[in-house]
């Protein structure tokens, strides 16, 4: 329904009647069509425009508060532009159009301002100039080079944020869901580039924040150098696997040598990222720390909660699983007591390794493959965690476990979901998939640990490395079990197999198991 406002567009920042009309009549239906709006599955109670920031144009940055019948409200960033020319409107995709509107005597459309070239260019110019406009502060990073001209476009990625490209040289992420703190991604990227000297991430080119007296600054956007990439490593690993897939039905087992070289290079880059995060610094947010009682209690508590939720979910969805997944689910359910003991043991176990800031959401989709190397992206941390949790220091082996799980996913997804393997006995498929995965995993781990060198204060000894990897692999696979039951039920067997692999390892540590103490040399987990 077209919206009619008495005042002109230039007065929008102070026209609370117009805010209310938009909040009530337009935002509920519009936000529910946006990919970046995370509240679609919750029971929504109300939409409110909390704050409006003006930017030269005028354009407006709206801070929208969405409340729900249960749980905490959320805040979202929605940049608005008012477009009166049909030519300009032709460039706006439907998903960017909020409503037809009249402001004073002008008629046109309200649109998401990312689709307005003038708005995008204002952001870029403000970054170049370290501009402060009202409560919004723009800060230029070292990677941003002065430029008199600017071209820009919206990158067609559908994700939880919006992506803009400037001069085909810079990639800007506009955060949509806002947290009452600096986004950890900004701190991480700035630290890695400016203190850690780590080169396998896109250089930091700047960010802009909302400043409120007495509160922490809220990050609204961050810019990095753009990476010319062929694809992400998830897609690339899928390509390697094609060769392997064709080989399986013919009973030929072969993997090209350069696959291992690429995997080893990622192991090396991962270790270099972690070494950079271990750099000496006066900033307490990045100083390494020992394993403390507080951390062990936090991790064990979070893990216990997660396990309870996952067991419930599995019991409620058991009937929807296929036969192979049901068999794996039984092993998981029967091992409940043993897993509980394993997690409880973590609470009191003395550990001599270190904890640092880590990537936090590390998987193959977060690594861009350039022609001969890799670039690591998306340092926002786990999407389900609070910002405070995302800043907690862990052993970097948590990232390593994330990547190992991802390789397991890549091979399993290919083998179970490809037409090339239809008709092959699933148990046989499991054997070949395990074989490929183990070779890849060991190659990645060897390159990772080799880059650290031994001994290194990050890791106390090999026994502790194995133990921590088991904990983090189990935690990740248990997390994934919930993700798959909710989003991709046919993939549930992948995390379940990951869980069962760890269970088999834990069994070996039990009295009467094959090895009662952690091995101190090999790193071959399964
Ligand atoms: N610096 C960059 N250069 C080029 N493309 C990038 C860059 N950073 C991210 N991308 C692309 O944008 C996508 C989304 O980026 P990501 O940081 O993962 O955002 P989100 O947190 O919204 O998932 C990536 O999968 C990648 O294709
Ligand atoms: O990248 P996101 O932050 O959105 O992470 C979520 O979705 C991921 C899937 O897109 C999911 O990752 C899991 O599947 C991947 C393959 O699709 C695999 O590479 C990962 O190892 C596996 O965890 C992630 O768990 C979820 O949080």
């Amino acid at each position: 329904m077209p919206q009619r406002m008495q005042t002109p567009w230039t007065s929008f920042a102070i026209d609370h009647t117009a805010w209310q009309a938009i909040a009530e009549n337009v935002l509920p239906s519009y936000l529910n069509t946006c990919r970046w709006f995370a509240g679609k599955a919750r029971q929504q109670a109300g939409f409110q425009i909390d704050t409006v920031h003006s930017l030269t144009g005028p354009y407006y940055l709206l801070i929208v508060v969405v409340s729900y019948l249960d749980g905490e409200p959320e805040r979202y960033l929605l940049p608005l532009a008012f477009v009166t020319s049909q030519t300009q409107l032709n460039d706006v995709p439907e998903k960017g159009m909020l409503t037809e509107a009249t402001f004073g005597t002008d008629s046109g459309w309200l649109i998401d301002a990312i689709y307005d070239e003038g708005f995008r260019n204002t952001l870029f110019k403000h970054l170049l100039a370290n501009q402060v406009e009202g409560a919004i502060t723009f800060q230029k990073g070292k990677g941003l080079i002065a430029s008199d001209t600017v071209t820009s476009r919206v990158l067609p990625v559908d994700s939880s944020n919006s992506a803009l490209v400037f001069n085909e040289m810079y990639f800007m992420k506009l955060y949509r869901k806002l947290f009452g703190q600096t986004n950890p991604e900004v701190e991480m990227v700035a630290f890695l580039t400016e203190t850690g000297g780590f080169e396998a991430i896109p250089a930091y080119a700047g960010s802009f924040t909302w400043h409120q007296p007495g509160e922490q600054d809220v990050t609204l956007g961050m810019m990095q150098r753009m990476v010319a990439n062929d694809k992400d490593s998830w897609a690339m690993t899928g390509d390697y696997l094609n060769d392997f897939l064709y080989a399986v039905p013919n009973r030929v087992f072969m993997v090209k040598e350069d696959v291992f070289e690429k995997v080893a290079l990622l192991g090396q880059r991962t270790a270099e990222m972690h070494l950079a995060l271990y750099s000496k610094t006066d900033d307490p947010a990045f100083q390494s720390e020992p394993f403390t009682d507080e951390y062990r209690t936090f991790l064990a508590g979070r893990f216990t909660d997660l396990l309870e939720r996952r067991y419930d979910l599995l019991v409620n969805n058991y009937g929807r699983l296929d036969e192979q997944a049901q068999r794996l689910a039984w092993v998981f359910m029967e091992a409940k007591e043993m897993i509980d003991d394993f997690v409880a043991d973590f609470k009191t176990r003395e550990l001599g390794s270190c904890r640092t800031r880590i990537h936090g959401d590390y998987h193959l989709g977060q690594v861009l493959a350039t022609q001969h190397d890799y670039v690591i992206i998306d340092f926002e941390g786990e999407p389900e965690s609070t910002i405070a949790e995302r800043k907690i220091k862990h052993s970097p082996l948590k990232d390593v476990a994330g990547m190992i799980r991802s390789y397991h996913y890549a091979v399993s997804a290919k083998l179970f979901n490809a037409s090339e393997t239809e008709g092959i006995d699933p148990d046989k498929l499991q054997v070949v998939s395990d074989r490929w995965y183990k070779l890849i995993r060991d190659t990645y781990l060897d390159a990772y640990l080799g880059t650290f060198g031994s001994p290194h204060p990050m890791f106390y000894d090999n026994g502790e490395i194995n133990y921590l990897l088991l904990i983090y692999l189990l935690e990740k696979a248990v997390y994934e079990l919930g993700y798959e039951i909710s989003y991709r039920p046919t993939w549930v067997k992948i995390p379940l197999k990951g869980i069962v692999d760890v269970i088999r390892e834990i069994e070996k540590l039990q009295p009467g198991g094959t090895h009662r103490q952690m091995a101190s040399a090999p790193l071959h987990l399964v």
Side-chain angles (χ1 to χ4, degrees):
M1 189 182 48
Q3 300 296 303
R4 292 193 181 282
M5 317 297 169
Q6 302 300 318
T7 53
W9 174 240
T10 44
S11 307
F12 184 73
I14 50 168
D15 184 354
H16 289 250
T17 314
W19 296 13
Q20 203 179 342
I22 304 289
E24 281 173 13
N25 307 332
V26 182
L27 295 185
S29 53
Y30 179 69
L31 256 66
N32 278 290
T33 65
C34 295
R35 168 68 169 84
W36 46 260
F37 176 53
K40 297 183 196 89
R42 296 178 68 184
Q43 281 190 291
Q44 297 154 16
F47 291 71
Q48 230 189 325
I49 296 177
D50 179 69
T51 315
V52 172
H53 303 284
S54 311
L55 286 187
T56 312
Y59 302 104
Y60 300 104
L61 300 178
L62 271 54
I63 310 296
V64 176
V65 175
V66 185
S67 40
Y68 301 95
L69 291 186
D70 279 320
E72 293 298 306
E74 291 172 332
R75 284 190 302 182
Y76 287 90
L77 171 66
L78 176 63
L80 273 194
F82 179 52
V83 176
T84 51
S85 116
Q86 186 56 48
T87 333
Q88 209 185 343
L89 201 59
N90 291 341
D91 295 336
V92 183
E94 205 181 319
K95 63 181 174 185
M97 308 217 280
L98 275 84
T99 181
E100 241 180 306
T102 305
F103 284 89
T105 52
D106 297 324
S107 293
W109 274 81
L110 271 183
I111 63 163
D112 182 330
I114 62 166
Y115 298 106
D116 185 307
E117 194 181 8
F119 169 74
R120 295 194 298 266
N121 296 356
T122 299
L123 295 182
F124 188 74
K125 286 177 189 157
H126 277 13
L127 275 173
L128 270 174
N130 283 315
Q131 187 83 35
V132 179
E133 201 170 354
I136 310 295
T137 303
F138 291 78
Q139 204 175 40
K140 177 176 181 287
K142 278 188 188 163
L144 179 55
I145 300 161
S147 159
D148 294 334
T149 53
V150 47
T151 60
S152 61
R153 63 187 171 96
V154 181
L155 204 67
V157 289
D158 251 346
S159 78
S160 41
N161 298 299
S162 293
L164 311 179
V165 170
F166 294 94
N167 289 353
E168 297 304 316
M169 259 181 91
Y170 303 100
F171 173 92
M172 180 190 282
K173 199 192 276 194
L174 198 74
Y175 298 109
R176 295 301 193 146
K177 188 165 155 188
L178 302 178
F179 297 94
Q181 284 178 46
T182 309
N183 194 300
E185 183 160 33
V186 175
E187 288 181 341
M188 291 286 290
V189 169
F191 184 85
L192 280 167
T193 316
E194 284 158 21
T195 309
F198 181 58
E199 290 182 352
I201 58 164
Y204 174 65
S207 63
F208 56 104
T209 48
W210 165 26
H211 176 72
Q212 300 169 90
E215 309 242 351
Q216 288 201 41
D217 288 353
V218 177
T219 313
L220 304 181
M222 186 195 62
M223 195 160 79
Q224 288 178 284
R225 289 295 278 264
M226 183 156 166
V227 181
N229 62 95
D230 293 338
K231 45 184 67 173
D232 68 31
S233 293
W234 170 258
M236 190 166 87
T237 308
D239 291 349
Y240 305 152
L241 281 163
N242 280 333
D243 291 348
F244 181 48
L245 271 183
Y246 296 128
V248 172
N250 298 318
R251 309 180 72 85
V252 182
F253 182 77
M254 52 156 208
V255 186
K256 281 190 198 142
E257 191 53 30
D258 69 339
V259 170
F260 294 107
E261 283 163 18
K262 289 205 162 75
V263 172
L265 182 61
L266 186 55
Q268 182 190 332
R269 293 287 174 257
T270 307
E272 287 164 356
M273 168 178 79
H274 288 152
L275 283 163
L277 287 168
Y278 182 73
S279 301
K280 222 172 151 32
T281 172
D282 294 332
D283 181 354
F286 283 89
Q287 280 161 353
S288 67
E289 289 177 26
F291 274 78
T292 54
D293 283 347
E294 197 191 357
Y295 175 75
R296 284 192 295 255
T297 307
F298 156 78
L299 193 83
R302 191 174 75 159
F303 205 162
T304 307
D305 286 351
L306 184 69
L307 278 165
E308 286 310 318
R309 282 185 278 127
R310 293 310 191 243
Y311 277 121
D312 284 350
L313 201 64
L314 198 55
V315 168
N316 294 336
N317 289 278
Y318 185 77
R320 291 168 62 204
L321 307 183
D322 68 31
E323 202 190 313
Q324 199 188 10
Q326 285 186 342
R327 263 190 280 146
L328 293 166
W330 263 108
V331 180
F332 177 39
M333 291 194 275
E334 283 179 345
K336 183 173 186 311
E337 207 175 308
M338 192 179 75
I339 294 176
D340 287 347
D341 290 347
F342 182 62
V343 176
D345 166 71
F346 180 77
K347 255 207 257 189
T348 51
R349 187 178 272 254
E350 285 302 319
L351 293 164
S353 298
C354 284
R355 296 182 297 121
T356 59
R357 293 290 287 273
I358 61 166
H359 181 285
D361 187 22
Y362 201 49
H363 58 79
L364 285 165
Q366 312 285 38
V367 180
L368 300 179
T370 59
Q371 230 182 347
H372 301 292
D373 214 322
Y374 294 109
V375 175
I376 300 167
I377 58 165
D378 202 359
F379 286 82
E380 262 190 281
E382 261 172 2
E384 278 187 17
S385 304
T386 62
I387 293 290
E389 275 176 356
R390 295 185 209 187
K391 294 183 182 181
I392 287 173
K393 292 164 189 159
H394 300 272
S395 165
L397 294 169
K398 187 169 159 63
D399 280 345
V400 172
M403 192 54 78
I404 290 176
R405 289 289 315 127
S406 208
Y407 279 121
H408 179 245
Y409 252 83
V411 69
S412 309
K414 266 280 158 165
L415 288 171
F416 289 116
N417 302 324
S419 55
E420 288 85 346
T421 55
E422 263 171 30
I424 302 183
D425 171 11
D427 289 333
K428 172 157 175 9
L429 213 50
Q430 189 65 69
V431 172
V432 282
S433 112
D434 277 357
R435 194 173 299 153
W436 194 91
Y437 156 65
K438 282 176 192 165
L439 279 172
I440 291 292
R441 180 201 60 200
D442 292 348
T443 305
Y444 177 74
L445 261 179
D446 285 350
Y448 177 82
L449 292 168
T451 307
F452 264 95
S454 179
H456 189 283
M458 187 77 92
F459 310 114
Y460 182 70
D461 64 13
N462 282 340
E464 223 168 276
I465 292 174
N466 275 344
Y467 177 76
L468 288 170
L469 273 175
L470 283 183
I471 280 277
Y472 292 127
L473 280 169
L474 185 61
E475 189 195 27
K476 183 76 180 180
V478 171
Y479 161 78
E480 289 165 346
L481 174 63
Y483 180 84
E484 302 305 346
I485 290 178
S486 307
Y487 292 92
R488 300 184 286 207
T490 54
W491 286 33
V492 168
K493 56 170 129 355
I494 303 179
L496 275 172
K497 176 64 171 59
I499 292 172
V500 170
D501 281 351
V502 179
I503 289 173
R504 297 292 173 238
E505 276 307 295
I506 301 173
E507 277 168 355
K508 290 185 199 159
L509 303 173
Q510 303 298 303
T514 9
H515 53 262
R516 292 183 59 179
Q517 285 193 327
M518 281 290 172
S520 57
L523 281 162
H524 300 280
L525 276 163
V526 186

